[in-house]
């Protein structure tokens, strides 16, 4: 049971989960009422140019300016012709979010607080390693899934991000890091593992990932863009048929009762059905595999018996296991597993034939680790208040 939440989990789930994944993608900015061209992927941008009586290849030119030359001033896009530039400027704009704060960890990790129109903000994290650089991108302001061990969930949910707000995080990070200066790519991988459940913001996330993949955009390979989900089965099935990216699934337990305590979504989409969706995902395309994330929490899901059950569950599926030591945050009742337990757990699953790595905690001094991203959420679900009240009640 989730001690920090006074509302029984059963009553928490249904309302939004009954509805299909939605998007608040709003290409027209409410303040300027100009279309933000960053809200379109290539297909959308082509359709936009056709809708205003222009040739669709203009989309390619604009994308190159924005992503290859980092040019966001329509007036400077010289191959568009003066008349077209004037016309575009009157109806469209290229609007990025804003970096509100940048923090650099002693281990090289960088965390940005990125602000949007209306006062909300999310966090985006860059994690450099010797042979790669991973950018962790957010998909929603807050999260509605209430996973009991995640601090983002404790803040409640405000809204979905638009495509421009998602791809804007990558654009800003690339610019700040000097992404391709001297031909060297600072960002080699993108993971949709920041704040939010990406499959509950399907359309905007897919458009943004399409720009990450597109050679006219950032040009990342299919295995270098990963979407991580808490296990929204209809979303996984839809993703399988929509875009070629890598899939990560937050599993955290091979047992339904334990998983439901950690990820309440499991009540609606239990493990057996989730595994079927994963099998379907990998069978769709040769060489696809799924990464399973498993946060190790002391006394909750780190018993050797859990490791053996996990082996049985995953051994036939082309997959990798990512073991994440739990990162504590203020107000949590959970603790990280001991180093011995983590090592023992990894040894058991590896002996069982799984490929398992233990993720190193990075950016600890700037709270940039998994589940520690908070941003600025105009909380509409008020779970955070409920937790505060509960905490106050517990204090003698
Ligand atoms: N909603 C998506 C992506 C966001 S979380 C998902 O659930 O996959 C990214 C990963 O960090 C998930 O595997 C999540 O379960 C894990 N995580 C969340 N809080 C954590 C914490 N406090 N310590 C360690 N991992 C955590």
């Amino acid at each position: 049971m989730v001690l920090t939440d006074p509302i029984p989990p059963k009553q928490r789930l249904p309302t939004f989960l009954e509805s299909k994944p939605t998007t608040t993608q709003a290409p027209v900015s409410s303040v300027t009422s100009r279309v933000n061209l960053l809200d379109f992927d290539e297909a959308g941008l082509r359709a936009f140019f056709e809708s205003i009586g222009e040739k669709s290849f203009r989309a390619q030119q604009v994308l190159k300016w924005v992503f290859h030359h980092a040019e966001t001033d329509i007036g400077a896009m010289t191959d568009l012709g003066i008349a077209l530039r004037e016309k575009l400027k009157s109806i469209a704009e290229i609007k990025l979010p804003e970096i509100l704060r940048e923090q650099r960890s002693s281990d090289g990790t960088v965390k940005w607080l990125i602000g949007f129109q209306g006062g909300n903000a999310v966090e985006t994290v860059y994690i450099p390693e010797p042979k790669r650089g991973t950018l962790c991108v957010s998909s929603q302001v807050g999260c509605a899934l209430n996973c009991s061990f995640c601090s983002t969930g404790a803040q409640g949910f405000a809204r979905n991000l638009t495509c421009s707000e998602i791809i804007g995080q990558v654009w800003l990070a690339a610019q700040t890091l000097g992404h391709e200066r001297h031909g060297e790519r600072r960002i080699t991988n993108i993971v949709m593992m920041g704040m939010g459940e990406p499959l509950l913001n399907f359309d905007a996330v897919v458009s943004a990932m399409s720009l990450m993949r597109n050679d006219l955009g950032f040009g990342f390979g299919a295995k270098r863009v990963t979407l991580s989900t808490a296990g929204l089965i209809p979303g996984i099935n839809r993703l399988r048929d929509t875009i070629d990216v890598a899939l990560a699934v937050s599993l955290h337990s091979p047992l339904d009762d334990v998983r439901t305590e950690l990820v309440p979504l499991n009540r609606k989409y239990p493990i057996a059905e989730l595994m079927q969706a994963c099998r379907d995902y990998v069978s769709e395309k040769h060489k696809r595999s799924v990464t399973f994330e498993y946060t190790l929490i002391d006394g909750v899901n780190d018993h050797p018996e859990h490791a053996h059950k996990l082996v049985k569950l995953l051994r036939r599926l082309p997959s990798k296991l990512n073991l994440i030591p739990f990162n504590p945050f203020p107000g949590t009742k959970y603790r990280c597993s001991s180093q011995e337990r983590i090592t023992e757990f990894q040894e058991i699953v590896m002996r069982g034939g799984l490929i398992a790595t233990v993720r190193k905690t990075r950016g600890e001094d700037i709270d940039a680790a998994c589940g520690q991203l908070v941003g600025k959420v105009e909380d509409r679900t008020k779970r955070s208040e409920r937790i505060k009240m509960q905490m106050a009640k517990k204090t003698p």
Side-chain angles (χ1 to χ4, degrees), residues 251-260 262 266 270-272 275 293-294 296 300-314 321 345 349:
L251 187 59
H252 309 309
S253 176
L255 306 171
D256 273 315
D257 55 345
V258 178
R259 186 165 195 269
T260 298
L262 298 171
N266 189 67
I271 294 171
M275 287 302 131
E293 291 153 285
Y294 197 108
L296 285 160
V300 175
N301 63 357
D302 62 348
H303 196 275
E305 192 52 34
H306 296 162
H308 289 294
K309 291 236 159 73
L310 194 58
V311 169
K312 273 202 183 132
L313 189 69
L314 300 184
L321 184 64
F345 200 96
V349 292

Side-chain angles (χ1 to χ4, degrees), residues 5 13 28 53 83 109 138 156 184 204 215 265 272 286 294 324 331 361 370:
D5 198 326
L13 271 179
V28 179
T109 302
S138 295
E184 181 199 348
D215 284 339
L265 183 71
H286 193 51
Y294 197 108
I324 314 169
T361 292
C370 295

Side-chain angles (χ1 to χ4, degrees), residues 124-267:
T124 308
V125 179
Y126 174 68
I127 306 144
E129 285 169 287
K131 284 194 178 146
R132 58 199 234 160
T134 305
L135 190 70
C136 182
V137 172
S138 295
S139 58
Q140 297 182 311
V141 184
C143 187
L145 288 186
N146 283 326
C147 295
S148 58
F149 60 102
C150 178
S151 73
T152 301
Q155 290 189 94
F157 171 72
R159 69 170 174 85
N160 281 337
L161 294 184
T162 59
C163 172
S164 60
E165 290 167 338
I166 299 168
I167 200 68
Q169 294 170 59
V170 184
W171 196 98
L172 289 171
Q175 276 308 297
T176 314
L177 296 167
H179 180 47
E180 296 216 50
R181 222 169 275 160
H182 313 300
E184 181 199 348
R185 301 208 104 183
R186 298 288 307 275
I187 302 169
T188 61
N189 295 66
I190 298 185
V191 291
M192 297 299 306
M193 289 185 193
M195 296 170 69
E197 168 49 50
L199 292 180
L200 283 174
N201 184 13
F202 193 90
D203 292 344
V205 166
V206 165
S207 294
M209 291 194 307
S210 154
L211 290 168
M212 296 169 197
R213 295 273 289 102
N214 196 327
D215 284 339
L216 296 166
F218 287 106
F220 288 100
K223 291 195 170 168
R224 293 186 179 272
V225 176
T226 301
L227 180 143
S228 175
T229 177
L232 205 81
I233 293 175
I236 294 175
N237 293 339
R238 212 174 144 202
L239 187 74
R240 180 193 68 205
D241 301 329
T242 309
I243 187 168
D244 206 9
V245 292
L247 178 69
V249 172
S250 295
L251 187 59
H252 309 309
S253 176
L255 306 171
D256 273 315
D257 55 345
V258 178
R259 186 165 195 269
T260 298
E261 178 194 324
L262 298 171
V263 183
L265 183 71
N266 189 67
R267 189 172 291 110

